[in-house]
């Protein structure tokens, strides 16, 4: 990585207000601001890096893209983007890949709703900047000083901290680590981020699904930048996921026993069996049977269960909300 | 609101005698799926198919009319149809899924669409969700006790099971009819049904059940754009004969009464659960 390029982009992003808020005419955009915009256009960033030649001040395509964004914004109900970062702790990058698996939807989100200001693999920024939403992937290794510092910093710099995926939320398979792995055998203690910082929202699952991440991004955008009506809808939508963050940081297929069947709530729909990523849940005579040796503790089965939470005010509007999501992604 | 949002409601039955022969009432689900399959509205449907044990349903993904026919009729025991929802998009490769289920299963479908926590790529692939009316359901062993111990009929020889006119009925292959008062069946109900606040599958695209319509007919609510699209095309193709619900007996009032009864009763259960212990309650999934 060119030192000059890294420096340039860091400076660009460290500006607390992203350039998108009050953007000058496209032709007047300075070099730094262009870079700050760039994270949205992953492909172009890569193309530039691949070129050893001096960086062109501006390619014609850049100007076109910026014009297009300006035009799109005319049609948007609200004008400002939110800033989102991806904080990578002890996870497998599967959560980030899942986010990227929205394909063109990812570009739509980055074009119109969220600036990606931090992500190890996608954004050339070394230190956690101020941001609206931090999507944290992975659990925290207590013996890894930088991880511990990073999660604390994420809490300070982000308005909303999201535990993205089973590891950040519940520990997931890192719960089974006992150390002794090369080349850091002393790293043996992995905890969900909730044990070190307050977490605002959980997206369970291994991997969390592209559609669930998409929905949370859209709803977070509406919550922070939408009209009063949109804020109300987004608040109602996000509440159960925020409640999950308050519920605790231990998950297991056993939750289906403790919090559903033992509570007299199971009606045998089969959602848990469909949600389980490792087929640890089978339906025997209409009720879930959990193979605890297979369970990786991702929390998907319980969160998917209609009897873990079911908010009628949101669910009754399923047709409108589905159309809303489809609409904003077009 | 006990009947949910709907665009239209009619009494209807299939015009296909083959479907009606083994249907519970008007053959609505089988007929609508058969039509949707033929027209490409769905690529396959998750239905309660037969299994190794008599009257024990096994969720299956039907991709032909023959498989749909094998799943006709109500089983009165649990068929975890949602368990195949993700699998249908995977090993079966369905892009447009049809699914039938009870009101709680329709709730599960909508939760899978709005909160697809473990339902990767499922939300956009639900093409037609048909809900059935449901007062409560029974575990398989409960059904077994009702049929074999109370009705004194072998499950293997039962041709049809039905609930109606305040009774639970078992009809055998050789023509014997056994019936017990519904009161006797209550203790076999699965507990999870007692917190359910939906009788007529408010969240389905199309919901249907016998209540409100004459014998051999079904009441059909058309609720969503997707439901209306499929239903109107099927009507246009002559799949169903219909009667205005106002002109049939016992009509919509009975549906409304039973829905209100169920929801009122279960609201009370929820309230009782809140103070179940001493200063402690049981969990309420709706708050």
């Amino acid at each position: 990585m060119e030192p000059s390029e890294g420096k340039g982009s860091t400076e660009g992003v460290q500006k607390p207000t992203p350039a998108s808020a009050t953007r000058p005419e496209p032709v007047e955009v300075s070099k730094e601001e262009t870079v700050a915009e760039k994270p949205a256009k992953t492909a172009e960033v890569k193309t530039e890096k691949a070129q050893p030649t001096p960086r062109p001040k501006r390619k014609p395509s850049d100007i076109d893209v910026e014009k297009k964004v300006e035009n799109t914004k005319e049609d948007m109900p609200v004008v400002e983007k939110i800033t989102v970062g991806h904080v990578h702790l002890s996870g497998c990058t599967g959560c980030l890949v899942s986010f990227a698996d929205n394909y063109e939807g990812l570009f739509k989100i980055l074009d119109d709703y969220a600036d990606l200001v931090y992500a190890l693999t996608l954004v050339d920024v070394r230190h956690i900047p101020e941001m609206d939403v931090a999507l944290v992937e992975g659990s925290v290794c207590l013996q890894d000083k930088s991880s511990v510092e990073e999660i604390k910093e994420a809490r300070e710099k982000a308005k909303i901290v999201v535990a993205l995926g089973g590891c950040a939320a519940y520990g997931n398979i890192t719960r089974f680590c006992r150390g002794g792995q090369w080349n850091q055998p002393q790293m043996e203690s992995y905890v969900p981020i909730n044990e070190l910082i307050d977490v605002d929202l959980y997206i369970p699952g291994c991997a969390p699904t592209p559609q669930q991440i998409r929905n949370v991004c859209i709803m977070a955008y509406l919550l922070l930048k939408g009209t009063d009506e949109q804020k109300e809808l987004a608040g109602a939508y996000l509440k159960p996921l925020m409640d999950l963050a308050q519920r605790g940081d231990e998950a297991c297929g056993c939750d289906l026993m403790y919090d559903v069947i033992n509570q007299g709530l199971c009606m045998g729909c089969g959602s848990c069996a469909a949600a389980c990523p490792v087929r640890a849940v089978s339906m025997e005579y209409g009720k879930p049977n959990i193979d605890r040796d297979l369970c990786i503790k991702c929390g998907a089965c319980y969160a998917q269960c209609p009897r873990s939470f079911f908010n009628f005010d949101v669910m009754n509007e399923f047709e409108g909300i589905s159309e809303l999501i489809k609409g904003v992604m077009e | 609101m006990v009947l949910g949002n709907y665009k239209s409601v009619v009494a209807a039955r299939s015009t296909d005698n083959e479907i009606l022969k083994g249907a519970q009432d008007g053959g609505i689900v089988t007929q609508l799926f058969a039509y949707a399959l033929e027209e490409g509205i769905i690529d396959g449907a998750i239905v309660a198919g037969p299994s190794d044990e008599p009257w024990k349903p096994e969720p299956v993904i039907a991709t032909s009319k023959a498989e749909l026919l094998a799943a006709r009729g109500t089983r009165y025991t649990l068929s975890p149809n949602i368990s195949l929802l993700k699998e249908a998009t995977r090993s079966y490769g369905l892009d447009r899924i049809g699914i039938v289920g009870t009101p709680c299963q329709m709730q599960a479908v909508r939760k899978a669409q709005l909160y697809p926590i473990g339902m990767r790529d499922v939300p956009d692939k639900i093409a037609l969700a048909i809900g059935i009316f449901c007062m409560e359901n029974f575990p398989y062993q409960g059904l077994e006790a009702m049929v074999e111990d109370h009705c004194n009929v072998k499950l293997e020889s039962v041709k049809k099971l039905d609930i109606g006119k305040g009774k639970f009925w078992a009809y055998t292959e050789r023509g014997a009819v056994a019936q017990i008062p519904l009161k006797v069946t209550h203790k076999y109900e699965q507990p999870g049904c007692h917190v359910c606040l939906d009788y007529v599958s408010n969240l389905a695209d199309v919901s249907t059940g016998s209540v409100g319509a004459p014998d051999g007919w079904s009441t059909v609510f058309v609720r969503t754009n997707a439901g209306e699209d499929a239903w109107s095309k099927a009507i246009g193709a002559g799949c169903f004969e219909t009667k205005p619900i106002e002109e049939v007996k016992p009509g919509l009032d009975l549906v409304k009464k039973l829905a209100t009864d169920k929801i009122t009763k279960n609201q009370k259960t929820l309230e009782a659960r809140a103070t179940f212990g001493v200063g402690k309650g049981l969990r309420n999934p709706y708050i």
Side-chain angles (χ1 to χ4, degrees):
Chain A
M1 191 179 295
E2 290 176 57
S4 63
E5 187 182 317
K7 189 166 168 269
S9 50
T10 311
E11 279 173 5
V13 175
Q14 273 176 346
K15 295 189 171 203
T17 11
S20 59
T22 49
R23 184 181 302 132
E25 284 300 299
V27 275
E28 297 297 319
V29 171
S30 73
K31 189 181 161 189
E32 281 183 3
E33 278 169 325
T34 315
V35 177
E37 290 289 294
K38 270 308 171 52
K41 303 282 166 293
T42 324
E44 285 180 19
V45 172
K46 276 182 187 157
T47 329
E48 275 189 20
K49 275 186 196 165
Q51 291 169 353
T53 49
R55 283 156 40 101
K57 273 187 184 157
R58 201 177 302 111
K59 292 183 297 183
S61 59
D62 291 349
I63 296 166
D64 284 343
V65 167
E66 285 183 78
K67 271 182 189 161
K68 191 186 140 228
V69 173
E70 289 278 331
N71 290 341
T72 321
K73 285 189 172 175
E74 293 294 311
D75 305 329
M76 297 301 300
V78 286
V79 286
E80 288 175 70
K81 285 199 219 177
I82 60 171
T83 49
V84 174
H86 175 264
V87 179
H88 202 313
L89 302 176
S90 295
C92 69
T93 324
C95 301
L96 183 64
V97 170
S98 205
F99 187 23
D101 278 348
N102 278 295
Y103 302 112
E104 64 271 27
L106 175 69
F107 295 122
K108 180 70 184 175
I109 290 171
L110 296 181
D111 277 347
D112 290 0
Y113 307 114
D115 275 318
L116 192 62
V117 295
Y118 185 72
L120 277 186
T121 44
L122 298 179
V123 183
D124 195 5
V125 174
R126 294 301 185 87
H127 299 289
I128 297 183
E130 298 278 343
M131 54 187 144
D132 292 322
V133 181
L135 301 170
V136 182
E137 167 173 358
S139 55
V140 191
C141 177
L142 299 183
Q143 289 83 28
D144 178 12
K145 219 173 113 190
S146 65
S147 282
V148 175
E149 274 165 18
E150 203 163 333
I151 190 62
K152 288 183 186 170
E153 201 179 350
R155 180 66 277 182
E156 282 164 23
K157 298 277 182 68
K159 292 196 186 99
I160 300 173
V161 173
V162 175
L164 176 63
C167 293
Y170 298 115
N172 204 31
I173 53 163
T174 67
R175 285 284 197 190
F176 299 99
C177 181
R178 296 170 299 128
Q181 73 282 1
W182 292 111
N183 59 351
Q184 300 285 352
Q186 79 285 5
M187 291 189 174
E188 64 174 33
S189 316
Y190 295 82
V191 296
I193 61 172
N194 215 348
E195 300 209 1
L196 300 187
I197 62 163
D198 288 333
V199 182
D200 300 299
L201 191 141
Y202 270 14
I203 305 180
C206 184
T209 64
Q211 295 80 19
Q212 183 61 65
I213 304 171
R214 174 197 70 192
N215 290 3
V216 168
C217 284
I218 292 170
M219 291 297 174
Y221 169 79
L222 293 178
L223 187 71
L224 295 173
K225 310 280 184 188
T227 62
D228 287 349
E229 200 184 339
Q230 288 168 331
K231 280 184 175 145
E232 196 183 336
L233 167 70
Y237 177 89
L238 295 172
K239 184 174 179 299
L241 301 175
M242 298 170 86
D243 290 344
L244 277 183
Q246 299 303 316
R247 180 175 164 265
D249 56 14
E250 288 178 24
C252 177
C254 300
D255 294 349
L256 299 171
M257 302 302 303
Y258 301 152
D259 285 356
V260 185
I261 296 179
N262 290 174
Q263 286 282 315
L265 293 171
C266 179
M267 39 59 182
C269 67
S271 293
C272 47
C276 181
V278 294
R279 297 176 196 254
V281 182
S282 57
M283 299 302 287
E284 304 292 340
Y285 287 99
K287 302 282 165 165
N289 189 48
I290 301 122
D291 187 335
R292 284 166 296 172
D293 282 349
L294 287 181
C295 175
I296 55 169
K297 307 192 187 294
C298 72
C301 56
Y302 179 73
Q304 193 67 62
C305 172
R307 293 288 167 82
S308 63
F309 68 84
F310 197 86
N311 42 356
F312 281 108
D313 53 342
V314 172
M315 299 292 187
N316 284 341
E317 304 302 320
F318 73 90
E319 201 177 12
I321 296 174
S322 298
E323 273 164 21
L324 169 88
I325 292 170
K326 203 174 154 200
V328 300
M329 296 307 288
E330 263 164 15
Chain B
M1 272 306 284
V2 292
L3 300 183
N5 299 322
Y6 58 90
K7 294 174 190 288
S8 61
V9 52
V10 290
R13 74 175 172 194
S14 166
T15 50
D16 183 333
N17 280 329
E18 196 187 4
I19 287 175
L20 281 180
K21 217 162 48 185
Q24 192 70 15
D25 299 291
I28 306 295
V29 182
T30 310
Q31 175 69 74
L32 192 53
F33 275 154
Y35 173 76
L37 204 52
E38 200 177 308
E39 291 299 307
I41 297 170
I42 58 171
D43 306 323
I46 306 175
V47 296
S51 77
D52 296 342
E53 291 180 74
W55 288 89
K56 180 172 175 287
E58 183 75 35
V60 296
I61 293 166
T63 52
S64 68
K65 192 179 172 187
E67 285 169 305
L68 287 173
L69 287 174
R72 280 170 301 179
T74 307
R75 244 56 60 79
Y76 294 105
T77 185
L78 313 173
S79 178
N81 287 4
I82 312 299
S83 63
L84 287 180
L85 199 52
K86 189 163 67 177
E87 195 60 22
T89 71
R90 300 274 177 118
S91 45
Y92 289 80
L94 305 192
D95 286 327
R96 286 157 296 197
I97 304 171
I99 183 161
V100 60
T102 51
C104 54
Q105 291 179 324
M106 293 299 109
Q107 293 179 346
V109 169
R110 299 318 176 190
K111 185 168 178 180
Q113 286 184 285
L114 292 185
Y115 294 96
I117 292 159
M119 294 280 190
R120 187 183 168 113
D121 297 345
V122 168
D124 312 331
K125 294 184 178 169
I126 311 289
L128 186 59
I130 305 182
I132 53 179
F133 300 177
C134 177
M135 192 59 85
E136 69 275 309
N137 206 344
F138 304 96
Y140 182 71
Q141 292 80 358
L143 185 73
E144 202 174 16
M146 283 152 55
V147 173
E148 302 211 330
D149 297 352
H150 291 276
C151 294
N152 200 22
V153 172
K154 296 278 287 175
L155 261 178
E156 290 89 329
S157 59
V158 172
K159 188 178 70 177
K160 179 171 180 169
L161 294 173
D162 203 6
I163 287 178
K165 304 176 177 67
K167 293 189 171 72
F168 176 80
W169 306 76
Y171 302 86
T172 69
E173 296 283 358
R174 292 199 166 188
V177 183
Q179 41 130 314
I180 52 171
L182 218 42
K183 201 173 63 178
V184 175
T185 68
H186 288 332
K187 74 168 180 182
Y188 297 109
E189 292 164 5
Q190 88 168 326
C193 295
H194 297 154
V195 297
C196 175
L197 302 177
D198 186 353
Y199 176 56
V200 285
S201 286
N202 294 354
L203 299 185
D205 290 316
V206 172
S207 53
T208 185
S210 66
V211 176
D215 285 351
W217 290 68
S218 299
T219 303
V220 178
F221 290 94
V222 179
R223 299 185 179 280
T224 64
N225 292 332
E228 189 173 45
D229 186 52
W231 181 254
S232 58
K233 280 182 187 159
I235 296 284
C239 291
F240 297 102
E241 50 177 323
T242 63
K243 287 181 188 173
I245 196 76
E246 299 78 21
E247 290 173 20
V248 300
K249 296 279 177 194
L252 211 53
D253 284 345
L254 182 65
V255 187
K256 217 176 279 174
K257 181 189 174 297
L258 292 183
T260 310
D261 286 354
K262 171 176 177 178
I263 293 166
T264 313
K265 180 171 79 76
N266 290 349
Q267 284 282 18
K268 279 189 189 135
T269 308
L270 281 164
E271 283 162 26
R273 287 171 57 91
T275 55
F276 199 81
V278 180
K280 293 184 176 203
L282 298 171
R283 203 167 63 76
N284 182 340
Y286 306 124
I287 52 173

